[in-house]
Amino acid sequence: MRKKIIYAILVLSVLPFFTLRTFGQEVTKITPYVTLQYLKNSESKRILQTTLTYSKNRMEIPLQGMEISLFTGTEKKETIAHVVTDNKGIAKFEITGDTKLISDKSGAWTFTSEYNGNDSIDAGKSEIVIKDVNLEMSLTLVDTIKTITVKATVMENGKEKPAAGEVVKILVPRMFSNLLISELTLDDSGSATAEFPSDLPGNKEGNLTVLAKFEENPVFGNVEKSETLKWGLTTDYSVPKSHRALWTKTAPKWMIYTLSVLLTGVWGHYLFALISLIRININAKRKAREEYKI
Amino acid sequence: MKDEAENVSDGSSRRNFLKKVGVGVGAISVTGIVGSSLLKGNEAKAKSGKLVKLLSPEGKLVEVDQDDIKSAKGIQPADNETVEQHKLEARAGLPNRKFAMVIDLARCKNARKCVEACQEGHLLPKDHEWMRLYLLQDDSTTSKYWFPRPCFHCDKPMCVSVCPVGATYKRADGIVLIDNQRCIGCKFCMTGCPFSARVFNWKDPEVKVPEGHVYDPETNIPATEGTVGKCVFCADKLRLGELPRCVSACPMGVIYFGDILEDTVTNGNETERFSKLMTDRAGYRYREELGTLPSVYYLPPTQRMFPVESGLEDTDKSIKDRYKKVGPR
Amino acid sequence: MEADRKLITDLTPEIEKTSIKWYITFFIFLAFFAVGIYGLYQQIDKGHIVTGMRDNVVWGFYIVNFIFFMGLSYSGALISGVLHLFHTGWRKPIIRMAELITIISLIIGPFFIFFCIGRLDRLHFLFLYPRIQSPITWDVIAIITDLVGCFLYLYLSFIEDFAILRDYPDLKVAPWKKKLYKTLSLGFTGTEQQHKILSNARMVMAAMVIAIAIIVYSVLAWIFGVTLQPGWHSTIFGPYFVIAAVFSGTGLLIILMWIFRKIYHLEEYITQRHFVNVGVLLTVIAAFYGYFTFSDYLTKWYGSIKMDSILIDKLFTDYYSLFIFANYIGILLPCIIIAFPKFRTIPNITIAAIIAVTALLVNRYIIVIPTLETPFLPIQDTRPDWITYSPTWVEWSLTLAGVSVFAMLFMLVSKIAPIISISEMQEKDKNEIMK
């Protein structure tokens, strides 16, 4: 017993030190992961997309509602915009004609995405260098074969040059992701051709979108060119509204008929029995009246 | 009888619904950014500039612009009309879609991320799992394999056929859902389902539902005592054009998902043509002979990425206990 | 209408006075009932977690009881209907009992479904949002139809007795009972025309009650039969259930005959002849029932589809003793006892009946539970203690409560109405009936 008390006192006296130490310790900050992407879509709209995430148990977790600053230029940086991340940790900014961009001698732009950090999160940044590429795509029927031709040129030192040796992906956008049709390597003239499959379903009218894309190209970023046309098979999917089945809202007809016939038969007989009861009652009353008269 | 599908026009009222209800489950929801920022990139400048400290869903202190926050208190409860309208939409399904899932058994190693994501995403209580992982062995002469089993969303769903009150229903896009405000808990669907896909809420699930949350059959949150629950193919996510939670959570890319009318399925990283996957890998459906026509396809466990035993290596004892009675059958 | 004073005193032993024995027995049953109510309160308060049912065995003892009680009911209807329709002479002292079994178990049966349902508060949804594709909807319609039909049938057979009790001059009963008899007898005085109308109506209803009993119990069987589950998905289930129901009902009839004979000293009215006749009926039905059972399991075993094999394996291992008792002893022993004239004593026949009824209850159990423990996908990835089923005290208490209510309702009816039809007994020469 004594031993126990001494032990307890010992523990209790040491405990405050431990607690103090824990409080004194600095809370470890999150190291965020910043990415920056350049997107140029089919309408030549340019978008800077930056993400802010961190890694926990090998899972990527977005940081929401964070302000990120976007800059252009290398030595002398100029602020383009401040954006706030959404619930997926993504923030986007569209580059318009009003946006002042600083290009280097070769005509490339440098973009920087910077997060300043706060009490619990460290600062972080990401930088990309982008050359403006011009991607062209033409879709033609060659002897009934659906043929895709792509051509890409880059402005370098004020001159237009073919983007030889680069890879362009031909994709078809689907509900959740893009379906890869083929991967083309551009030849010396900056062009390439591919055959489009003949058995790919489109929508109800057979329309689908063909998308040519530089995907995460280290020099060009993400650059897209797309066109929607009737190159797919028509898919007609409709469930008739008055569809009768076991698992729909309305029952098969035979079921309704059988049930009605059975129920009418049975309840008809019940009615007969009920009427019989009433007849007995009426008969009894009549008899009573007759007796009364006599 | 009037078909409920007739009353449904398009997805527009869903958007209203979301606006009024506040976006889903997160403790804080930030408006003005989701989706629309692509066109209004400069919006951030127009914010109040006042930063507010908030606890993020991960339990970290974060700073958010005041204008971006709809505090939990500020969420307006959706009016009845919107809720009813959404319920009709949840009964009709997405127009011109037919969803299918392809599960590659060669890649599964019982990592159980799909189960975790599903439990978290649908606020499911313990012992009430929608996604299950079986360790199957067809015969003592054949090999064991891991077998993830969501709801099969059959095209001839026995569970829907036997429901006496229409609580569970088949949508045009192939999804089978349960309205747990309609369910009377007779459990007939559970005996009707040959794949044990349905689970019952034997007691009050004690789910902490975010304030202002309105019940939606597409998520089935919150689970209700005395009713049946099952995998919903994350119908709420599909409506937003996102993949189901189990698909995104799987680190091995086991589960492919897509619209079969587009002949395309994806596991988040790889996108494949559904028909090609079926041809190349000899895809099949579990117990085709029962004739329920499942929407979930399996790719046989050929040339596996992991030995089957690895599925039990790093797991807790409580998980190992779940696979004690494994043998040929 | 007049009747023999002795007949009335003998056949309505509880109408005029209430014995202390009656009170004691009633309160014992009431105590059981109270325990059941407490169990039900626990279940509503804490959820179905207090039962032994879990995600695989979703239907447990409640459904077993439901089928069992409904079976008793339909068989009561079948027996009384058939005996009435074929003018079987010896039926008269026992037909009332069969009718009462019908009505009382028909009232109790559905309550077990209510106990099994997760959301009792939404029960009215069955009528608000009915889907006629569901066998449960069929069953709801069927049970309501059956309840109305059986009440009508029972009432028709009671009218004459009510008229007798109404007209009997020195019946020492409370005024409200007199008034009740007067109202319920509908002024029946026994004229030729009234007799004709009544006997016509009874004939029609007897035929109807047989038809309904067959259809309705088949519908119940189809709740199991339409699913794909191994052991349930069988075309034989409809007729098999009907035969099984008649088997249990005949057994129960014998048991009740014995009890009533003992308690109310009806030795004069219910004789060995009745026991032997109903006993022979039981044997014939047992033979049919055994034949159905054998043919169902034989085809499953011989065909050996994988799931069927697993199920039969389970029946012969985990459920071995129950299976042997239900499907061998429970069928063969009653047959043997009754088949030999030497053994045909009243106690022996009653024992045979008790064996038959318990065996059938066990048979229902091994139809429902082993199948649910044999799903197509093996039971895995679930809490290990959730795999096998065994009923908890809540389920037992509610089962006993059901049995108590059965007894209590019988006791209450005996306070108001004759337990053996007076009118039928006095109608013809007593000797002819007793022959």
Side-chain angles (χ1 to χ4, degrees):
Chain A
M1 193 66 202
R2 216 193 225 161
K3 250 185 184 174
K4 266 188 189 169
I5 293 170
I6 294 171
Y7 185 70
I9 292 170
L10 218 81
V11 169
L12 281 174
S13 53
V14 174
L15 206 67
F17 293 101
F18 275 105
T19 19
L20 276 179
R21 257 191 73 195
T22 358
F23 274 115
Q25 241 175 10
E26 277 223 352
V27 181
T28 45
K29 279 185 165 185
I30 296 172
T31 314
Y33 183 61
V34 185
T35 67
L36 182 60
Q37 276 191 320
Y38 169 84
L39 313 160
K40 184 179 173 188
N41 71 9
S42 203
E43 288 81 44
S44 294
K45 241 180 211 164
R46 289 147 202 218
I47 291 148
L48 285 174
Q49 179 179 317
T50 180
T51 64
L52 187 68
T53 56
Y54 73 99
S55 172
K56 190 172 135 189
N57 302 334
R58 285 190 289 171
M59 292 277 280
E60 204 181 335
I61 295 165
L63 287 162
Q64 185 183 354
M66 300 295 158
E67 196 182 81
I68 296 179
S69 310
L70 298 171
F71 303 100
T72 175
T74 42
E75 283 117 47
K76 207 184 130 227
K77 281 181 191 168
E78 270 198 28
T79 311
I80 309 174
H82 302 283
V83 286
V84 179
T85 55
D86 66 8
N87 60 349
K88 286 182 197 113
I90 299 171
K92 288 177 182 173
F93 174 75
E94 191 195 335
I95 301 168
T96 57
D98 300 340
T99 318
K100 276 182 190 149
L101 299 178
I102 302 172
S103 53
D104 66 8
K105 283 176 223 157
S106 66
W109 300 307
T110 304
F111 297 109
T112 317
S113 159
E114 258 188 64
Y115 173 62
N116 288 331
N118 63 13
D119 294 350
S120 55
I121 308 169
D122 277 333
K125 69 176 198 173
S126 177
E127 196 180 87
I128 49 170
V129 182
I130 294 294
K131 273 186 191 169
D132 193 30
V133 71
N134 189 25
L135 180 65
E136 297 293 333
M137 175 178 71
S138 69
L139 305 169
T140 44
L141 279 177
V142 181
D143 291 336
T144 72
I145 292 170
K146 293 157 185 163
T147 312
I148 307 156
T149 313
V150 287
K151 191 172 161 65
T153 51
V154 192
M155 290 298 284
E156 222 163 81
N157 302 328
K159 278 186 207 160
E160 204 171 63
K161 280 172 72 180
E166 300 291 345
V167 173
V168 175
K169 283 183 177 171
I170 305 297
L171 305 154
V172 173
R174 293 309 206 185
M175 186 176 177
F176 302 105
S177 57
N178 296 332
L179 178 66
L180 182 69
I181 303 297
S182 55
E183 252 181 37
L184 302 174
T185 309
L186 300 179
D187 62 14
D188 289 344
S189 65
S191 62
T193 56
E195 197 180 302
F196 192 81
S198 56
D199 59 349
L200 205 65
N203 66 2
K204 232 177 194 170
E205 291 82 35
N207 288 328
L208 49 74
T209 303
V210 180
L211 176 72
K213 187 176 184 184
F214 282 113
E215 202 169 66
E216 285 173 35
N217 187 298
V219 189
F220 307 139
N222 291 283
V223 180
E224 297 177 348
K225 201 81 203 173
S226 70
E227 196 180 329
T228 302
L229 76 174
K230 206 170 174 172
W231 265 17
L233 304 175
T234 54
T235 47
D236 190 23
Y237 174 71
S238 56
V239 179
K241 275 178 183 160
S242 57
H243 184 46
R244 283 174 188 276
L246 286 174
W247 53 90
T248 51
K249 204 162 181 287
T250 37
K253 278 181 182 151
W254 70 263
M255 207 169 239
I256 296 168
Y257 296 151
T258 313
L259 201 71
S260 316
V261 168
L262 275 176
L263 284 179
T264 325
V266 172
W267 285 86
H269 284 85
Y270 289 2
L271 199 66
F272 171 79
L274 265 180
I275 290 168
S276 300
L277 286 174
I278 294 165
R279 277 176 65 204
I280 289 174
N281 195 265
I282 290 169
N283 183 279
K285 274 182 188 157
R286 194 187 300 139
K287 210 185 143 217
R289 227 179 290 130
E290 275 163 18
E291 275 171 6
Y292 181 73
K293 271 177 198 164
I294 293 161
Chain B
M1 262 173 263
K2 203 176 172 191
D3 203 323
E4 283 174 10
E6 286 171 27
N7 297 333
V8 179
S9 48
D10 59 337
S12 64
S13 74
R14 164 74 185 189
R15 258 163 264 137
N16 293 337
F17 175 77
L18 281 180
K19 260 184 206 161
K20 284 178 183 169
V21 176
V23 186
V25 186
I28 50 168
S29 57
V30 177
T31 54
I33 299 172
V34 189
S36 62
S37 55
L38 198 133
L39 297 171
K40 301 180 217 160
N42 296 333
E43 203 178 42
K45 287 176 185 167
K47 302 276 178 196
S48 69
K50 278 182 197 163
L51 290 178
V52 181
K53 280 185 182 171
L54 269 180
L55 210 62
S56 77
E58 290 77 43
K60 293 283 178 190
L61 212 61
V62 293
E63 274 182 322
V64 182
D65 191 290
Q66 204 172 34
D67 282 4
D68 290 335
I69 304 164
K70 249 190 183 178
S71 71
K73 277 180 193 167
I75 295 171
Q76 292 295 311
D79 56 278
N80 283 338
E81 207 177 306
T82 329
V83 172
E84 284 310 307
Q85 178 67 22
H86 177 64
K87 265 198 158 180
L88 287 179
E89 278 178 22
R91 280 207 174 241
L94 301 181
N96 295 311
R97 297 278 178 201
K98 180 80 178 68
F99 295 108
M101 191 180 264
V102 179
I103 298 177
D104 185 354
L105 299 177
R107 296 181 180 189
C108 183
K109 58 163 268 182
N110 193 27
R112 303 187 74 82
K113 294 286 180 228
C114 52
V115 182
E116 284 163 25
C118 182
Q119 298 299 108
E120 280 168 32
H122 297 104
L123 307 182
L124 294 178
K126 206 173 159 277
D127 301 317
H128 186 90
E129 288 98 2
W130 288 352
M131 183 63 131
R132 266 204 191 141
L133 275 138
Y134 289 87
L135 181 52
L136 295 188
Q137 186 178 21
D138 299 336
D139 187 70
S140 56
T141 53
T142 60
S143 165
K144 288 179 185 170
Y145 55 95
W146 291 102
F147 185 87
R149 197 246 32 223
C151 169
F152 286 172
H153 297 270
C154 306
D155 285 349
K156 288 189 177 181
M158 176 63 92
C159 53
V160 176
S161 300
V162 299
C163 180
V165 291
T168 183
Y169 52 91
K170 175 91 181 159
R171 314 201 303 185
D173 57 6
I175 297 179
V176 175
L177 290 184
I178 303 168
D179 180 354
N180 78 21
Q181 294 182 331
R182 175 77 68 84
C183 177
I184 61 166
C186 68
K187 296 172 266 180
F188 198 1
C189 55
M190 297 180 76
T191 62
C193 175
F195 310 113
S196 317
R198 289 171 170 249
V199 277
F200 192 72
N201 289 295
W202 297 100
K203 55 180 179 193
D204 186 17
E206 290 161 7
V207 181
K208 273 193 189 146
V209 179
E211 218 176 309
H213 173 81
V214 173
Y215 173 71
D216 174 5
E218 293 193 344
T219 53
N220 237 334
I221 297 171
T224 313
E225 188 209 314
T227 61
V228 177
K230 70 162 191 74
C231 154
V232 290
F233 256 8
C234 290
D236 59 321
K237 285 258 187 187
L238 302 182
R239 209 173 264 285
L240 304 171
E242 293 170 21
L243 287 167
R245 292 168 177 89
C246 54
V247 178
S248 332
C250 182
M252 317 298 166
V254 173
I255 311 172
Y256 291 84
F257 194 86
D259 178 359
I260 212 168
L261 299 177
E262 290 182 340
D263 195 24
T264 308
V265 287
T266 178
N267 62 6
N269 289 321
E270 302 148 273
T271 304
E272 304 278 347
R273 284 192 70 175
F274 171 77
S275 54
K276 190 167 180 300
L277 218 47
M278 286 298 115
T279 324
D280 293 355
R281 297 283 310 277
Y284 72 99
R285 293 193 285 201
Y286 182 71
R287 288 202 187 261
E288 188 73 67
E289 75 273 14
L290 293 177
T292 63
L293 312 182
S295 296
V296 175
Y297 295 76
Y298 286 92
L299 303 178
T302 49
Q303 298 177 353
R304 296 180 214 204
M305 288 166 71
F306 312 96
V308 74
E309 295 77 21
S310 68
L312 284 174
E313 268 164 16
D314 301 328
T315 49
D316 294 349
K317 195 191 164 289
S318 66
I319 299 295
K320 282 194 181 104
D321 282 351
R322 292 169 167 234
Y323 298 99
K324 268 184 177 165
K325 280 188 175 178
V326 171
R329 61 174 283 159
Chain C
M1 288 179 72
E2 282 166 33
D4 194 1
R5 171 77 226 192
K6 185 180 179 303
L7 254 180
I8 289 186
T9 338
D10 281 355
L11 302 184
T12 59
E14 295 287 346
I15 281 187
E16 287 177 294
K17 56 178 186 343
T18 310
S19 60
I20 294 183
K21 260 193 211 163
W22 191 94
Y23 277 119
I24 293 171
T25 332
F26 193 81
F27 276 103
I28 290 172
F29 284 127
L30 202 65
F32 276 118
F33 179 66
V35 175
I37 293 295
Y38 178 68
L40 183 65
Y41 167 75
Q42 287 288 316
Q43 183 179 304
I44 290 171
D45 187 41
K46 291 179 182 154
H48 277 56
I49 196 88
V50 299
T51 68
M53 295 184 282
R54 289 298 179 266
D55 283 333
N56 288 291
V57 184
V58 294
W59 287 348
F61 222 53
Y62 293 147
I63 295 288
V64 172
N65 286 327
F66 169 66
I67 320 171
F68 184 70
F69 274 101
M70 296 313 275
L72 292 180
S73 160
Y74 299 139
S75 65
L78 267 179
I79 296 165
S80 64
V82 169
L83 294 183
H84 185 93
L85 217 53
F86 292 104
H87 295 289
T88 321
W90 53 268
R91 78 177 191 272
K92 295 196 166 163
I94 56 170
I95 198 164
R96 171 67 46 83
M97 267 178 236
E99 284 159 2
L100 286 177
I101 293 175
T102 306
I103 274 293
I104 291 173
S105 36
L106 192 55
I107 292 167
I108 297 168
F111 276 94
F112 283 102
I113 281 287
F114 301 159
F115 302 152
C116 191
I117 276 179
R119 301 293 306 211
L120 255 181
D121 53 323
R122 296 180 185 167
L123 203 63
H124 57 286
F125 284 8
L126 286 172
F127 304 97
L128 281 183
Y129 314 102
R131 278 183 85 249
I132 71 159
Q133 293 100 316
S134 169
I136 286 193
T137 309
W138 309 346
D139 217 25
V140 170
I141 297 171
I143 290 174
I144 291 169
T145 306
D146 197 42
L147 206 58
V148 173
C150 288
F151 257 113
L152 261 175
Y153 181 59
L154 186 72
Y155 182 52
L156 288 172
S157 83
F158 262 120
I159 285 183
E160 277 184 87
D161 280 5
F162 286 141
I164 290 170
L165 289 172
R166 176 198 62 199
D167 294 344
Y168 198 74
D170 37 70
L171 195 69
K172 295 175 200 70
V173 294
W176 68 268
K177 269 190 198 171
K178 280 256 176 200
K179 213 172 179 183
L180 188 75
Y181 296 143
K182 199 179 170 201
T183 321
L184 290 178
S185 59
L186 291 177
F188 186 86
T189 45
T191 61
E192 203 176 311
Q193 203 191 352
Q194 284 175 351
H195 262 298
K196 210 180 153 199
I197 298 172
L198 189 63
S199 99
N200 263 343
R202 285 184 73 179
M203 217 56 174
V204 165
M205 283 311 290
M208 220 60 257
V209 157
I210 296 171
I212 300 164
I214 292 174
I215 297 171
V216 170
Y217 209 54
S218 302
V219 165
L220 207 160
W222 291 332
I223 286 189
F224 299 90
V226 297
T227 67
L228 298 164
Q229 302 297 343
W232 289 358
H233 189 56
S234 163
T235 49
I236 211 172
F237 253 45
Y240 181 40
F241 266 51
V242 173
I243 275 292
V246 183
F247 183 60
S248 65
T250 318
L252 186 72
L253 183 60
I254 295 175
I255 298 172
L256 285 182
M257 273 158 61
W258 186 83
I259 293 175
F260 276 70
R261 191 169 177 270
K262 267 269 131 55
I263 296 177
Y264 298 130
H265 308 289
L266 300 173
E267 287 85 354
E268 199 183 320
Y269 304 94
I270 303 173
T271 61
Q272 184 167 10
R273 193 176 95 91
H274 293 103
F275 277 90
V276 172
N277 281 351
V278 184
V280 170
L281 191 67
L282 183 75
T283 317
V284 173
I285 295 164
F288 270 109
Y289 169 61
Y291 159 71
F292 273 106
T293 310
F294 182 74
S295 107
D296 191 32
Y297 284 115
L298 176 81
T299 45
K300 282 196 181 98
W301 172 79
Y302 203 105
S304 69
I305 291 174
K306 201 167 186 182
M307 290 318 296
D308 288 342
S309 301
I310 294 170
L311 178 68
I312 286 175
D313 240 29
K314 193 175 215 82
L315 288 174
F316 279 95
T317 52
D318 299 354
Y319 291 90
Y320 183 74
S321 43
L322 289 181
F323 187 83
I324 296 296
F325 174 68
N327 295 335
Y328 288 83
I329 298 171
I331 296 169
L332 293 178
L333 207 58
C335 285
I336 292 166
I337 290 173
I338 298 162
F340 294 100
K342 235 202 316 195
F343 297 147
R344 285 182 195 160
T345 63
I346 292 176
N348 276 358
I349 292 173
T350 312
I351 289 168
I354 291 172
I355 294 170
V357 173
T358 18
L360 195 99
L361 183 64
V362 175
N363 175 278
R364 308 279 92 162
Y365 188 85
I366 60 172
I367 282 179
V368 175
I369 280 88
T371 285
L372 288 173
E373 285 180 353
T374 319
F376 286 95
L377 277 160
I379 302 177
Q380 283 177 13
D381 199 1
T382 178
R383 260 171 76 153
D385 49 329
W386 280 25
I387 291 176
T388 45
Y389 171 81
S390 58
T392 60
W393 73 268
V394 175
E395 284 159 289
W396 282 115
S397 71
L398 279 167
T399 306
L400 284 178
V403 176
S404 315
V405 172
F406 187 85
M408 289 195 307
L409 285 178
F410 247 105
M411 290 173 79
L412 285 176
V413 171
S414 73
K415 296 289 304 163
I416 294 173
I419 40 173
I420 290 180
S421 172
I422 305 170
S423 55
E424 301 246 18
M425 294 304 288
Q426 69 168 8
E427 235 173 46
K428 282 173 197 150
D429 183 12
K430 214 169 154 192
N431 288 331
E432 194 211 318
I433 298 170
M434 293 301 157
K435 185 171 60 181

